[in-house]
Amino acid sequence: MTDRFEQYYLTKCAHRLARAFTAGSAVASRLADWIEEGHLGFEWQPDDDHYRRHGVSMKNWVALRKLLDSKVIKGGMPLPDQLHRNTCALAEYAGLDALETRIFVLMVRVKVCASFNELFDDLVRRAKGRIDRVVAGMAGVGAQEVADALTPHGALLQSGLVDLNASGFGVDTDLEISERLLRALNMATGGISDIIERMFDDPGQPDVAWDDFAHLGAAADFSARLLTGALRAGARGVNLLFYGPPGTGKTEFCRVLAAHVGATLHAVGETDDSGEEPSRHERIQQLQLGQRFLSRRHDVILLFDEMEDLVSSPPLRLSDIRLSMLRGSASKVHMNRLLENNPIPTLWTCNELDGFEPALLRRFTFSMEMRTPAEKVRTRVWRRLAGNQGMALDDATCARLARLLPEPPALVANALRAASLGGGGVDDLTLAVREVAKATNGGVERVPGEAADDGPLFTPALINADTDTMRITSRLTRAGASRQVSLCLSGPPGSGKSAYARHLAHEMGLPVIQKRASDILSKWVGGSEQNIAAAFAEARSEGAFLIFDEADSLLSSREMAERYWEVSQVNEMLTWMENHPLPFACTTNMATRLDPASLRRFTFKITLKPLSPAQLEQAFVQFFDQEAPSGLARLENLTPGDFANVQRRAHALGITDTQELLAELKKEARAKTGPQKAFGFQNRLPVRRPAQPIQEASAQSTDTKAAGQS
């Protein structure tokens, strides 16, 4: 016994059980044994047959009833303890009626008091009593009243205060109450507000600012205005879904969004009652509790992170979702209510939408894709977050890190904190970001961004193209020039295809989104098409210049396709190319593999070639800061990329002599000897062979026939 009130309450429940069940019942046996063990604080040692299979003797049962009568009458009701007061206060706040309150108070005491829980469990499991009848006996009400109170539409289950783990009242049925709720009820409090605050998780303050999500554009602004209006009007059924790959800052954005609209954010279902990962029904139960008990406030938003927990296999259907109130029978109606009638605006996050039925997704008030911030935004984030951690990073370093490490604000903040605590500098910072990004990418290291600045290292004079690229750049960068242009840049590796595209974007004042084939191609059917659509949509949303490297992997000729998805992938690219309103470029080393239909969709088709003799001399001066040696102009098939490669090798080996540098360039040229592939746009028509003379053809036919006969 912990206090006088609990002893009185348990004695009262035992007294009700003794009046509700007969001497020959299994309940009588378990109750008599429990009292004999001294759980009620008084001694009772009947002279009875303990080997009896069921029940107790009528004599002892009558004696026990009289004893319990006297204890209840003689003791009188003491002042309620803290647990009872808190439980009744919460029941009143939830709007429970007298019967529902009595059931709730009973079940809270059963869960908190170990000895009482032992009796309850014995009566249900060992005595095989129906749970509704056991609860009715302890509460002193009718079994049918209990059954009616525990229906899915009743306030007890609708509120999430109590969870019925089955659809009926069998032996395995149990009434569950959240441990988090029990701890909140069993602590000294200053009132109902303290109890409610302890029932939910605090997601913490955001580490980033609202401006750090400027790359989300109008969608982020609309989500803020939507929430502001919903809170002001007390609108029901407001649900916002934020989806995107891990690491794009979905949870962090929810924190920032709540702070931006001046609301308090409560996370539901992040941990279970023991601090461990919660089950699906525990998360739903916490969501129900939040919707029920925070509904009177107009400054609260709920966060349900990682909605994938609601996805089962096969893919989720509305009728497959098992809410905590209907553990044994799924209910489409209740899932609809969860998204249509919730009084508190709720933010949901998930990594991908696969597995969610359209019937479920369309019930969200607003959905927004989370993307990696643009480079300009990332640079600003690096600068501000570095300052917050006391790390001195100049603007050039922040810009370089933003270009090399296209990670979201939340990951950047963690990496900066790690580097600061470790007392490290930029190298440690880069290491921290890359390792965390690798983990969030499934253990696969991300392809790094471009290391070079587009401006200083790009020299238009080293572009040897069949088209005047200087004129194209000049025309596209003038005021009022059309932005709906596209380029196909073909040529050998290192000839400057991607560099020119980035230079053009820089001159046009547009940010660059660069995609490699590995960023687009997916092992899942339909995945590549989705990634293609996402790339064009991202560029359109950010007003960016989109560059596809290795475009031959995405636009290969459909005539050579062996699988249907290879055709659908090309079709997806062609559709977007036809309708994209902003500049984009495709680069390829193998233009002859491109689908013919793709060529007519490019405004400019440019072939880049190896450096001319004059350009070779200019490149030598630029890369090695020396006069070009004689014999350099005779080298063939060299590109700016080859010079850059030799420059790196010379730096590593300490080579500075002009003739040694020339020898290294000759090695690069010899590596390209042999039959050279045609990199430009070639005539794809079949070659007509001259007609064979009739006599010769007839002779061949005769010879073949004779050979067959022999």
Side-chain angles (χ1 to χ4, degrees):
M1 292 296 112
T2 57
D3 55 44
R4 290 183 59 237
F5 179 81
E6 185 166 273
Q7 181 177 351
Y8 165 81
Y9 184 83
L10 300 187
T11 303
K12 187 80 173 177
C13 289
H15 178 254
R16 292 167 179 162
L17 283 171
R19 291 294 175 183
F21 291 90
T22 62
S25 65
V27 170
S29 298
R30 299 309 308 152
L31 178 62
D33 290 345
W34 184 76
I35 295 175
E36 191 173 350
E37 292 170 2
H39 291 293
L40 291 181
F42 56 81
E43 184 176 352
W44 185 62
Q45 297 292 336
D47 180 16
D48 208 344
D49 180 6
H50 290 280
Y51 297 99
R52 181 191 299 268
R53 183 175 181 183
H54 290 299
V56 297
S57 67
M58 182 58 69
K59 172 185 175 183
N60 287 329
W61 192 239
V62 172
L64 179 59
R65 284 180 171 179
K66 290 182 178 179
L67 178 60
L68 291 172
D69 286 342
S70 64
K71 293 293 182 181
V72 170
I73 296 173
K74 181 180 179 181
M77 180 177 174
L79 291 175
D81 57 12
Q82 182 76 55
L83 176 62
H84 188 79
R85 294 196 302 272
N86 287 344
T87 305
C88 291
L90 188 62
E92 181 182 2
Y93 188 87
L96 302 186
D97 61 25
L99 173 63
E100 293 164 339
T101 299
R102 179 173 287 195
I103 296 173
F104 180 53
V105 168
L106 169 68
M107 293 312 303
V108 167
R109 190 69 63 169
V110 166
K111 298 299 181 181
V112 169
C113 178
S115 63
F116 202 32
N117 183 269
E118 177 185 338
L119 172 63
F120 186 85
D121 191 64
D122 275 356
L123 296 180
V124 175
R125 303 288 185 272
R126 298 179 62 181
K128 301 188 183 305
R130 280 174 50 112
I131 195 169
D132 54 335
R133 294 173 183 171
V134 173
V135 170
M138 287 183 166
V141 296
Q144 187 58 50
E145 292 179 283
V146 173
D148 293 341
L150 294 177
T151 60
H153 303 289
L156 278 171
L157 270 65
Q158 283 279 358
S159 66
L161 289 173
V162 175
D163 182 26
L164 187 64
N165 75 338
S167 58
F169 298 105
V171 175
D172 294 329
T173 305
D174 192 13
L175 289 173
E176 300 174 355
I177 297 178
S178 165
E179 286 291 336
R180 183 190 299 271
L181 174 57
L182 292 175
R183 287 197 301 271
L185 292 173
N186 207 23
M187 296 172 64
T189 66
I192 188 66
S193 60
D194 285 353
I195 299 173
I196 294 174
E197 287 295 324
R198 290 170 180 169
M199 289 164 57
F200 308 105
D201 292 314
D202 180 4
Q205 295 300 312
D207 294 323
V208 295
W210 177 255
D211 290 343
D212 294 334
F213 292 94
H215 61 286
L216 298 176
D221 178 67
F222 177 72
S223 65
R225 289 187 283 111
L226 171 60
L227 278 178
T228 300
L231 291 170
R232 184 189 305 117
R236 302 178 70 89
V238 175
N239 297 275
L240 282 71
L241 174 62
F242 303 109
Y243 62 94
T248 48
K250 298 181 291 295
T251 304
E252 196 69 13
F253 177 73
C254 290
R255 295 191 184 109
V256 172
L257 177 60
H260 186 68
V261 301
T264 300
L265 185 66
H266 284 294
V268 292
E270 291 196 344
T271 59
D272 69 1
D273 302 324
S274 303
E276 304 296 333
E277 183 180 0
S279 66
R280 186 192 310 175
H281 92 272
E282 287 173 330
R283 301 194 71 200
I284 291 292
Q285 187 182 22
Q286 287 189 31
L287 177 62
Q288 290 176 281
L289 285 169
Q291 296 291 356
R292 185 80 173 193
F293 292 104
L294 298 173
S295 59
R296 300 184 188 182
R297 295 180 56 178
H298 296 286
D299 62 343
V300 171
I301 299 172
L302 295 181
L303 169 62
F304 195 99
D305 221 345
E306 299 181 7
M307 189 183 172
E308 288 91 341
D309 284 352
L310 297 185
V311 179
S312 56
S313 182
L316 176 69
R317 298 178 182 275
L318 290 178
S319 58
D320 293 336
I321 297 177
R322 299 168 62 194
L323 298 178
S324 60
M325 65 182 70
L326 289 170
R327 295 293 304 278
S329 58
S331 171
K332 176 178 177 178
V333 174
H334 283 90
M335 188 58 196
N336 291 350
R337 290 178 179 172
L338 187 64
L339 291 174
E340 294 173 355
N341 296 323
N342 51 301
I344 301 296
T346 304
L347 310 181
W348 307 73
T349 73
C350 67
N351 295 332
E352 55 184 23
L353 299 180
D354 291 347
F356 291 98
E357 265 198 346
L360 177 65
L361 295 176
R362 70 167 176 257
R363 284 178 165 79
F364 285 96
T365 313
F366 182 63
S367 300
M368 184 176 75
E369 181 184 10
M370 300 292 294
R371 301 182 304 275
T372 301
E375 182 180 318
K376 182 166 56 177
V377 177
R378 296 198 304 270
T379 300
R380 186 176 68 246
V381 171
W382 276 99
R383 186 184 304 114
R384 184 179 57 78
L385 293 181
N388 293 345
Q389 291 295 333
M391 295 188 68
L393 299 180
D394 56 42
D395 290 348
T397 300
C398 290
R400 184 176 64 84
L401 290 171
R403 184 167 51 253
L404 285 171
L405 306 168
E407 311 304 338
L411 196 150
V412 171
N414 289 336
L416 283 164
R417 182 171 182 268
S420 177
L421 291 174
V426 176
D427 290 341
D428 287 341
L429 181 57
T430 304
L431 172 66
V433 174
R434 279 182 169 162
E435 289 303 315
V436 175
K438 179 180 177 181
T440 60
N441 197 39
V444 179
E445 188 164 357
R446 299 183 192 274
V447 178
E450 295 295 331
D453 290 327
D454 297 338
L457 293 184
F458 176 77
T459 305
L462 295 183
I463 293 293
N464 185 17
D466 64 352
T467 305
D468 188 350
T469 56
M470 299 285 286
R471 182 185 180 189
I472 292 175
T473 303
S474 175
R475 296 291 295 178
L476 293 183
T477 55
R478 64 186 173 87
S482 172
R483 290 296 175 96
Q484 194 170 3
V485 294
S486 55
L487 301 89
C488 183
L489 300 161
S490 67
S495 55
K497 302 181 293 296
S498 298
Y500 173 68
R502 293 195 304 273
H503 168 74
L504 178 59
H506 177 77
E507 293 298 308
M508 296 177 72
L510 298 175
V512 173
I513 294 177
Q514 192 161 350
K515 300 291 185 180
R516 299 169 175 84
S518 59
D519 300 322
I520 300 296
L521 298 178
S522 171
K523 64 181 179 180
W524 305 110
V525 175
S528 299
E529 291 88 331
Q530 292 179 2
N531 293 337
I532 290 169
F536 279 101
E538 180 183 359
R540 187 173 64 252
S541 176
E542 297 185 14
F545 193 115
L546 180 61
I547 301 174
F548 287 103
D549 282 333
E550 308 163 37
D552 46 277
S553 298
L554 307 175
L555 286 169
S556 57
S557 175
R558 287 170 290 182
E559 296 175 359
M560 306 298 293
E562 298 180 357
R563 302 170 181 85
Y564 76 91
W565 53 262
E566 294 175 321
V567 175
S568 64
Q569 173 184 299
V570 175
N571 290 340
E572 186 74 18
M573 276 289 294
L574 295 176
T575 301
W576 281 98
M577 291 167 63
E578 189 79 31
N579 298 286
H580 190 57
L582 295 172
F584 72 92
C586 291
T587 71
T588 177
N589 299 334
M590 294 171 283
T592 55
R593 294 188 180 181
L594 296 180
D595 191 275
S598 68
L599 298 179
R600 69 174 180 83
R601 286 172 167 80
F602 289 109
T603 312
F604 302 101
K605 293 176 278 291
I606 305 172
T607 300
L608 278 69
K609 298 173 289 186
L611 296 172
S612 67
Q615 289 174 321
L616 288 172
E617 295 182 356
Q618 183 176 350
F620 196 93
V621 174
Q622 176 175 320
F623 281 91
F624 306 118
D625 197 23
Q626 298 183 35
E627 289 295 326
S630 60
L632 175 64
R634 291 193 295 271
L635 299 183
E636 296 181 349
N637 298 322
L638 289 179
T639 66
D642 297 323
F643 275 83
N645 190 35
V646 170
Q647 182 188 50
R648 289 190 293 269
R649 186 159 70 243
H651 178 74
L653 298 175
I655 298 174
T656 58
D657 181 74
T658 302
Q659 292 302 316
E660 288 189 63
L661 292 172
L662 178 60
E664 294 297 328
L665 288 171
K666 288 180 179 179
K667 290 180 183 179
E668 291 293 316
R670 283 196 299 270
K672 297 184 175 184
T673 57
Q676 298 295 314
K677 295 180 180 179
F679 290 100
F681 299 97
Q682 308 297 320
N683 186 353
R684 300 174 62 91
L685 295 176
V687 177
R688 287 183 175 272
R689 296 183 178 179
Q692 200 174 35
I694 297 177
Q695 291 181 350
E696 181 181 350
S698 300
Q700 288 180 347
S701 177
T702 303
D703 293 342
T704 303
K705 182 177 181 181
Q709 290 174 347
S710 63

